[in-house]
Amino acid sequence: MNLMTTAHRARTLALAATCAAMLGGMPLLAHAQLDKATTEALETYFEFSDYNSGTIMVEQIPAGDWKKFYLLDVRDAGQFAKEHIPGAVNIEWRKVFAERASLPKDQLILAYCNTGSFAAQSAMALRLAGFENVRLLHGGFGAWKASTSATAK
């Protein structure tokens, strides 16, 4: 393991701990006191790519290209069972980080939920864990469904 990998993992762990603490309801004062490693990890994350490069709109994906993605549906199992994008794998958004070892690093992961908010949280967690192959479906399942309904007419 090289030093860059070790440093990256240390920053990622520090950021994950900070995020967990923030979500756990720590007082606001604690939020303002980020250590240097956490601050650097956040800066690195938000500089990972150009504006909007982490988002793909339904209209940008040719019909035959959907099967090239690892489609990650982060909605709950009931919504997935009712309907989903064909070929999608369901891991509820709260479990994505814990189950990250089951996700491919050599295939583009296209994450979606109903609108994009939970998928965005999942994608951020995966990117902080070293996944550089994660994109969001802009507008989520709703955008995909509207697009397929419009195409069918």
Side-chain angles (χ1 to χ4, degrees), residues 10-32:
R11 287 192 307 271
T12 300
L13 289 173
L15 181 58
T18 300
C19 289
M22 290 168 71
L23 293 173
M26 287 182 59
L28 286 178
L29 182 58
H31 298 294

Side-chain angles (χ1 to χ4, degrees), residues 123-136:
M124 180 178 180
L126 290 173
R127 285 188 188 126
L128 289 171
F131 284 79
E132 296 178 8
N133 60 329
V134 181
R135 302 294 181 269
L136 299 173

Side-chain angles (χ1 to χ4, degrees), residues 51-112:
Y51 177 75
N52 256 353
S53 68
T55 304
I56 300 175
M57 298 180 73
V58 173
E59 304 83 40
Q60 294 176 297
I61 305 171
D65 284 359
W66 285 91
K67 62 183 173 275
K68 295 178 183 177
F69 294 106
Y70 183 92
L71 295 168
L72 179 60
D73 185 324
V74 301
R75 300 174 304 151
D76 67 52
Q79 291 174 317
F80 181 81
K82 184 177 178 183
E83 57 184 347
H84 57 271
I85 298 174
V89 173
N90 179 233
I91 303 174
E92 186 179 349
W93 70 275
R94 290 171 239 213
K95 298 176 183 173
V96 169
F97 189 77
E99 296 183 25
R100 66 192 178 279
S102 68
L103 299 174
K105 287 201 171 192
D106 61 346
Q107 184 179 9
L108 188 63
I109 298 171
L110 184 59
Y112 73 90

